[in-house]
Amino acid sequence: MTEPIEAGIRGLIHQFREFLVALRLSPGRCSLALFIVATVVVVSATAAAQVSLNAWNGPFYEAIAQRNFSAFLHELLVFAAIASGLLVFNVAQAWLREMIKLNSREWLTRDLLSEWLKPGRRLRLAGAGEIGVNPDQRIHEDVRRLTELSADLGIGLLQASLLLLCFLGVLSSVSGNLDIWIGGVRLPIPGYMVWCALLYAASGSWLTWRVGRPLVGLNSQRCQREAELRFALVRANQAETTAKFRDEEGEKRRLGLALGKVRGVARRIVHATAKLTWITAGYGWISIVAPIVIASPAYFSGRCSFGGLMVVVGAFYQVNQSLRWFVDNFAMLAEWRAALFRVIRFREVLLMSELGCEQETSAVRLSDFANHPTPHNPTSVKVLDDVA
């Protein structure tokens, strides 16, 4: 029986808030906050440079269309300057991302270790059901995956949001209007490429969610089955080194059963991923030609030059890339959701175990005082009677 994933946005918000609380309470929160602020600055600078690079498409392709060699060379120098800045920003962003992963993993692991290693905690956790069977899996592998995916997805989402805000304005200003005639009445659509990009991305995101949502539960099941297999391997190794009478055939059957469970859930993930790839890969191939097809009415009507067409195509591509962030990262989001659930659920069980122990200890102490009152102190007996 595997752990169910809590349904709904409310459970996700609660678990993500607890994840942030654990990082905020860590001693390394100041350095982690500095890395996050620096990342926001670098990502913002990268977005501004990409806007400049998209604007550069206009004069560059105009120089090609006009066969203006001097203008062509000048634009190549401009490109070199913009590309150099983007290269510096990309390297800085990669370094900051890895430092965020390193720091967040360290302090989240320390938080769980401090709770797990409190006196008597491991014994009480062993009686908490399936969640207490493989704490090493949650502290080591699940924390690693959670922090790494959080950094990758968080920075990616920030970058996609900034690019979307920047290029929606560019696309709206350069795409112009599209006139649709219905029953002899002209219906202008201002900034029609913006609406086309939004509709295209929304349809792809909806299809991705419909097809790929089973991956959330499947990834959680796979983590659990992998932990069970590793636990079985460790137990078999201990039995081999300590037992006087070895049962190789019995261990082989148990290991085969654990491996079969891993293979079963892995096969289901393979099928779900293949179905999701139909959507994500098809969406990507259509995206190559979609902006040119959508911008073709303005170009063939003469309202847009060749350089302007390239600016429109570049802006549409950036908007589409930002809006399809959900499509491209759904598999990672499913894995992140499963890791978040496992880590935060484990941490909550540790904290609840401590709270239950304190309440039990308090009840035992009150019971001891009530059953054995001090005869020479009538005041204390009266207080205990009042409490009872």
Side-chain angles (χ1 to χ4, degrees):
M1 186 72 179
T2 56
E3 297 171 344
I5 293 292
E6 294 181 9
I9 299 298
R10 181 176 300 178
L12 173 61
I13 294 175
H14 166 73
Q15 291 159 19
F16 185 65
R17 184 174 65 246
E18 291 299 316
F19 172 53
L20 295 180
V21 167
L23 293 177
R24 183 174 60 84
L25 295 178
S26 69
R29 60 184 177 273
C30 293
S31 60
L32 184 60
L34 288 176
F35 285 127
I36 293 175
V37 171
T39 300
V40 172
V41 173
V42 171
V43 171
S44 301
T46 303
Q50 287 182 298
V51 171
S52 300
L53 183 61
N54 185 70
W56 166 86
N57 284 327
F60 177 72
Y61 284 103
E62 287 295 339
I64 293 176
Q66 298 171 6
R67 295 179 173 84
N68 189 334
F69 185 68
S70 61
F72 174 77
L73 292 178
H74 173 74
E75 295 303 326
L76 286 179
L77 294 176
V78 174
F79 172 80
I82 299 175
S84 299
L86 281 171
L87 178 60
V88 173
F89 293 146
N90 289 338
V91 173
Q93 182 176 321
W95 183 82
L96 289 168
R97 182 180 64 248
E98 296 305 315
M99 291 302 296
I100 289 174
K101 292 179 183 179
L102 178 64
N103 282 266
S104 59
R105 181 189 179 185
E106 176 187 359
W107 293 111
L108 183 58
T109 303
R110 290 182 182 276
D111 175 79
L112 293 178
L113 286 175
S114 65
E115 297 294 337
W116 183 51
L117 296 177
K118 286 184 178 179
R121 181 68 61 81
R122 284 174 289 177
L123 294 177
R124 293 192 297 273
L125 183 64
E130 189 175 358
I131 196 170
V133 174
N134 297 296
D136 55 309
Q137 169 80 10
R138 298 175 188 266
I139 295 175
H140 178 262
E141 185 63 20
D142 291 340
V143 168
R144 181 185 68 83
R145 292 302 296 155
L146 175 60
T147 52
E148 289 182 356
L149 289 172
S150 295
D152 290 333
L153 293 172
I155 294 175
L157 179 59
L158 173 64
Q159 190 164 21
S161 301
L162 289 175
L163 289 175
L164 178 62
L165 292 176
C166 294
F167 281 98
L168 273 179
V170 174
L171 189 60
S172 177
S173 61
V174 300
S175 62
N177 298 336
L178 178 65
D179 295 333
I180 298 179
W181 294 88
I182 301 178
V185 178
R186 185 174 67 90
L187 181 63
I189 301 178
Y192 77 98
M193 289 196 68
V194 173
W195 304 109
C196 292
L198 293 174
L199 180 61
Y200 182 68
S203 61
S205 298
W206 181 80
L207 286 173
T208 300
W209 175 77
R210 290 287 297 177
V211 174
R213 60 180 177 176
L215 281 170
V216 177
L218 289 175
N219 277 301
S220 179
Q221 293 179 28
R222 183 172 188 173
C223 291
Q224 186 65 34
R225 298 310 183 197
E226 294 283 0
E228 292 172 359
L229 175 60
R230 186 171 65 177
F231 179 76
L233 289 168
V234 172
R235 185 177 62 180
N237 181 62
Q238 292 175 345
E240 179 70 19
T241 56
T242 61
K244 295 181 180 179
F245 301 99
R246 301 186 178 95
D247 183 14
E248 287 85 356
E249 291 300 322
E251 291 295 339
K252 186 182 297 184
R253 286 193 300 270
R254 283 188 287 271
L255 290 173
L257 180 61
L259 180 60
K261 292 180 178 180
V262 172
R263 185 176 185 274
V265 70
R267 283 179 60 88
R268 295 168 64 190
I269 291 177
V270 168
H271 295 320
T273 303
K275 290 194 295 184
L276 181 61
T277 305
W278 281 102
I279 305 299
T280 56
Y283 188 91
W285 286 113
I286 296 174
S287 298
I288 297 176
V289 70
I292 298 177
V293 172
I294 296 173
S296 60
Y299 177 73
F300 288 111
S301 65
R303 293 186 290 110
C304 178
S305 63
F306 182 68
L309 175 65
M310 292 297 102
V311 172
V312 170
V313 170
F316 185 92
Y317 174 80
Q318 291 292 349
V319 170
N320 183 56
Q321 285 293 107
S322 300
L323 290 173
R324 65 172 285 173
W325 179 88
F326 180 78
V327 175
D328 292 335
N329 294 280
F330 188 86
M332 291 177 61
L333 283 168
E335 187 177 353
W336 173 81
R337 180 71 179 92
L340 177 67
F341 172 80
R342 288 174 56 80
V343 171
I344 298 305
R345 182 68 183 130
F346 178 69
R347 185 174 186 272
E348 289 176 341
V349 168
L350 291 175
L351 297 176
M352 290 170 62
S353 173
E354 179 70 14
L355 179 61
C357 179
E358 292 177 355
Q359 292 176 347
E360 181 181 353
T361 304
S362 301
V364 170
R365 289 175 180 172
L366 285 175
S367 176
D368 290 341
F369 277 114
N371 294 331
H372 305 284
T374 304
H376 302 290
N377 192 349
T379 303
S380 62
V381 175
K382 182 179 185 303
V383 170
L384 288 172
D385 290 338
D386 294 338
V387 172

